[in-house]
Amino acid sequence: MAKLETRGLHFSYTAEKKVLNGIDLILEGPPTAIVGQNGAGKTTFVKVLKGLLRPSKGSVYFNGEDIKDQTVAQLSRHIGLIFQNPNDQIFKNRVLDEVMFGPSNIGASRDDARDQAMAALERLGLEDEADANPYDLSLSERKLIAVASILAMDPDVLIFDEPTMGQDFEGKDLLKQIIREEHARGKLILCILHDMDFAADVFDRTIVFNQGNVLLDGPTREVFSQKDILESAFLEQPSPTQIARVLGLDGCYLTDAELIAALKN
Amino acid sequence: MSIIQVQELKYRYPDTERLALDNVSFEIEQGEFIGIVGRNKSGKSTLCYALAGLAPHFFGGGYGGKVVVNGLEIRASEIEEITSDVGLVFENPFSQMTGSKFTVFEEIAFGLENKGIDRTEMVQRIEESLFLLDIEEIKNKNPFSLSGGQMQRVAIASVIAMKPNVLILDEPTSQLDPQGSEDVFRVVENLAKEGITIVMAEHKIEKVAQYSDRVLLLDDGKLVDINTPEHIFSRDDLETHGILAPAATRIAQALDIRDPLTGLYPVTLAGIQRQRGEI
């Protein structure tokens, strides 16, 4: 399974403000959520992981090798990033061309690229939109097309930046299913989220970013148990945990089902 | 008279067959905070556009029925007339930016300048909007250098500065962190208390439940119901309309915690506490 590691990672866009301030992380194994306030450095961090931004200090290792010697094009075969704003990612005027672009670009034949693209669109329930112009679709559908574009390339690492943004609960269920399937296929999944309930429900490990540093990192339940530290980073505990407290139950509950089971006991 | 009246509204985008809005009727009173919920493509954005006059004036398309906002019949009015008192915050803040201004301050000033607001008042309104959205620090930055979350705050600030009588917001918090979303809901709630009518399409169901006076549920372009959050989220058929009830309601249902008078479930943490006699 793929492994990403950062050592002493620093990054700044300008001289005055440090965005990443010495990040040491080993990312492998379970699906991992990255949470934190706007401006905490989450998006910058994943852009550095993918090689789109180069660290000002420190290193990123992909499967043990420093990525500084690899081009973005070489890395893109292994590390897929789904942008927060699909408009930053989508540039073709036909959905199928957009989703075929990735696999074609890393050497798939036209037929293979088409098959991979159609398979990815089907997984997202968008096969009927293959001939549509992405900009005739809604923002939430364009977000799913951006997901399909990366799935079609079948990278070893899938990084989602705010995938649940603008999705209804059916869309969130679909994303949850895709994350679980890709993990089962041996992919490393990283996901930036503002939705704590989705993080609690779907991810085994959670990392909290705050002002360019890692504030908390561990099993999701342990991280979301740290009420005071989360609040210091302007984050909330998942809804089931908040409701549990109102009902007089201590402890951290990650899903409705867990809380209901505890309450019925 | 109600500030918003929608009668048998039907709307279809150009070159499409399907009715994006299909025979929708409701009324909204001055100062109400209305949350619009529904699955994707249920018509939430289109309804926002119809209230702000973009449908039909900007998009064209087929239109039937009647929409009156703030005393103006939308179809018969000029878009300039409508927008002087009806503000719209777009889902994608990129759509809101003029693209011709180099600082956040100028971006927010744009609408006010067009409206001919005098300079002293203009500066005062801009400062106030910057303060409300907590973006004073970035007032000299280029709008296109901002993160999605910051740009979303600028988009909201630029509309609030216009002091509209009716404020329509289409998923205004989609790119904001939990604290940022809470801030926006609080700002908007205060505007409602000042008598500004709020209509907000939003997926964050917990927040809709907490802040809305009434919730409007759409499915496939049709109005399913417009009622109090407790009524809407206690509906048995909610999930068939693509909506998951707020966490508090789901837990209350599992434990059968409900209001003894109405039989409805609470929709917030405070609602659960109230039913348990704790507050």
Side-chain angles (χ1 to χ4, degrees), chain B residues 30-238:
Chain B
Q30 172 103 39
E32 270 197 290
F33 188 141
I34 303 291
I36 306 181
V37 300
R39 59 160 60 93
N40 286 330
K41 302 200 108 174
S42 59
K44 301 189 298 298
S45 295
T46 308
L47 183 55
C48 289
Y49 299 154
L51 295 177
L54 291 184
H57 294 295
F58 176 75
F59 291 109
Y63 192 97
K66 189 173 164 190
V67 177
V68 180
V69 179
N70 219 15
L72 290 176
E73 208 220 308
I74 293 290
R75 192 183 193 178
S77 304
E78 299 287 331
I79 194 93
E80 293 77 13
E81 257 182 298
I82 300 166
T83 52
S84 74
D85 281 314
V86 181
L88 171 66
V89 176
F90 287 91
E91 175 179 12
N92 189 344
F94 282 85
S95 311
Q96 199 98 39
M97 299 296 128
T98 56
S100 63
K101 299 294 168 190
F102 294 105
T103 69
V104 165
F105 190 94
E106 290 170 16
E107 181 66 45
I108 299 174
F110 180 80
L112 300 168
E113 286 170 340
N114 278 350
K115 214 176 167 182
I117 305 291
D118 81 58
R119 180 149 186 94
T120 319
E121 190 186 344
M122 187 168 85
V123 171
Q124 191 191 331
R125 284 206 207 172
I126 296 169
E127 296 290 349
E128 191 185 7
S129 313
L130 289 167
F131 172 76
L132 283 173
L133 275 300
D134 195 19
I135 48 174
E136 290 150 307
E137 274 182 17
I138 58 166
K139 70 177 178 186
N140 295 318
K141 285 200 171 181
N142 187 316
F144 287 94
S145 72
L146 303 176
S147 70
Q150 285 174 320
M151 202 187 271
Q152 207 152 28
R153 289 169 191 254
V154 174
I156 297 167
S158 68
V159 176
I160 285 178
M162 301 286 284
K163 294 198 187 290
N165 196 25
V166 175
L167 180 58
I168 318 280
L169 305 104
D170 187 8
E171 291 193 50
T173 71
S174 60
Q175 303 192 35
L176 296 178
D177 58 28
Q179 183 66 43
S181 304
E182 184 68 27
D183 291 347
V184 166
F185 272 90
R186 286 210 185 123
V187 167
V188 170
E189 183 189 39
N190 282 330
L191 295 174
K193 284 182 182 154
E194 289 170 18
I196 295 175
T197 307
I198 307 290
V199 182
M200 185 194 286
E202 181 61 57
H203 280 304
K204 288 181 182 133
I205 225 73
E206 275 76 17
K207 295 269 183 276
V208 171
Q210 184 182 346
Y211 286 97
S212 306
D213 296 313
R214 287 191 295 157
V215 176
L216 191 159
L217 172 61
L218 285 175
D219 192 4
D220 197 21
K222 297 183 185 67
L223 176 80
V224 178
D225 200 356
I226 177 168
N227 213 324
T228 64
E230 287 78 9
H231 272 98
I232 296 289
F233 297 128
S234 293
R235 289 177 67 103
D236 295 337
D237 61 353
L238 197 60

Side-chain angles (χ1 to χ4, degrees), chain A residues 52-124:
Chain A
L52 294 176
L53 299 171
R54 297 293 175 173
S56 8
K57 214 164 77 183
S59 306
V60 178
Y61 300 88
F62 174 64
N63 290 342
E65 285 182 37
D66 195 326
I67 67 165
K68 75 176 189 317
D69 304 323
Q70 297 185 49
T71 62
V72 175
Q74 286 168 323
L75 282 171
S76 66
R77 172 184 306 269
H78 303 291
I79 303 175
L81 169 62
I82 296 134
F83 282 67
Q84 177 179 7
N85 188 339
N87 302 353
D88 293 342
Q89 186 174 333
I90 293 173
F91 66 105
K92 297 279 188 184
N93 55 20
R94 179 167 166 250
V95 167
L96 185 59
D97 294 338
E98 179 66 38
V99 184
M100 281 173 67
F101 178 80
S104 302
N105 213 21
I106 56 170
S109 70
R110 195 168 168 76
D111 285 349
D112 285 351
R114 177 189 299 271
D115 291 347
Q116 285 161 271
M118 280 311 295
L121 286 170
E122 272 168 36
R123 288 178 71 188
L124 290 152

Side-chain angles (χ1 to χ4, degrees), chain A:
Chain A
M1 190 192 230
K3 175 177 168 183
L4 278 165
E5 183 172 357
T6 67
R7 289 188 207 150
L9 197 67
H10 286 74
F11 183 85
S12 315
Y13 291 98
T14 58
E16 308 92 70
K17 194 168 178 271
K18 287 185 172 173
V19 180
L20 299 177
N21 208 358
I23 307 280
D24 296 292
L25 281 171
I26 296 174
L27 302 161
E28 62 180 340
T32 299
I34 301 175
V35 303
Q37 243 189 318
N38 285 132
K42 307 178 299 295
T43 296
T44 302
F45 176 66
V46 299
K47 284 184 176 170
V48 175
L49 289 184
K50 192 184 152 57
L52 294 176
L53 299 171
R54 297 293 175 173
S56 8
K57 214 164 77 183
S59 306
V60 178
Y61 300 88
F62 174 64
N63 290 342
E65 285 182 37
D66 195 326
I67 67 165
K68 75 176 189 317
D69 304 323
Q70 297 185 49
T71 62
V72 175
Q74 286 168 323
L75 282 171
S76 66
R77 172 184 306 269
H78 303 291
I79 303 175
L81 169 62
I82 296 134
F83 282 67
Q84 177 179 7
N85 188 339
N87 302 353
D88 293 342
Q89 186 174 333
I90 293 173
F91 66 105
K92 297 279 188 184
N93 55 20
R94 179 167 166 250
V95 167
L96 185 59
D97 294 338
E98 179 66 38
V99 184
M100 281 173 67
F101 178 80
S104 302
N105 213 21
I106 56 170
S109 70
R110 195 168 168 76
D111 285 349
D112 285 351
R114 177 189 299 271
D115 291 347
Q116 285 161 271
M118 280 311 295
L121 286 170
E122 272 168 36
R123 288 178 71 188
L124 290 152
L126 288 167
E127 66 275 19
D128 293 340
E129 309 290 355
D131 288 322
N133 183 325
Y135 286 93
D136 286 338
L137 303 177
S138 67
L139 190 61
S140 55
E141 287 170 312
R142 281 205 297 284
K143 284 209 66 128
L144 297 179
I145 285 163
V147 173
S149 304
I150 302 297
L151 286 181
M153 295 173 74
D154 201 28
D156 307 315
V157 183
L158 284 162
I159 307 175
F160 297 83
D161 192 351
E162 279 284 333
T164 59
M165 183 189 109
Q167 299 298 336
D168 55 20
F169 99 90
E170 288 158 344
K172 286 188 198 177
D173 265 359
L174 182 60
L175 288 165
K176 173 173 161 179
Q177 188 188 327
I178 283 175
I179 288 166
R180 294 208 164 139
E181 286 168 4
E182 290 300 304
H183 172 62
R185 294 180 60 223
K187 308 292 179 178
L188 174 62
I189 314 278
L190 306 176
C191 185
I192 296 176
L193 286 170
H194 284 315
D195 183 338
M196 300 304 133
D197 291 359
F198 191 78
D201 183 20
V202 181
F203 295 86
D204 299 315
R205 175 182 175 189
T206 296
I207 300 171
V208 180
F209 270 60
N210 189 38
Q211 298 180 348
N213 294 298
V214 171
L215 185 66
L216 289 170
D217 175 18
T220 296
R221 189 183 309 279
E222 281 174 25
V223 167
F224 280 127
S225 300
Q226 307 289 327
K227 178 170 181 280
D228 294 341
I229 301 178
L230 290 168
E231 282 174 3
S232 75
F234 301 97
L235 297 175
E236 295 173 333
Q237 288 182 297
S239 303
T241 303
Q242 293 186 40
I243 295 169
R245 190 167 324 102
V246 166
L247 296 172
L249 278 186
D250 285 336
C252 181
Y253 300 88
L254 298 180
T255 61
D256 284 8
E258 276 185 12
L259 175 57
I260 290 166
L263 289 166
K264 286 192 169 164
N265 261 325

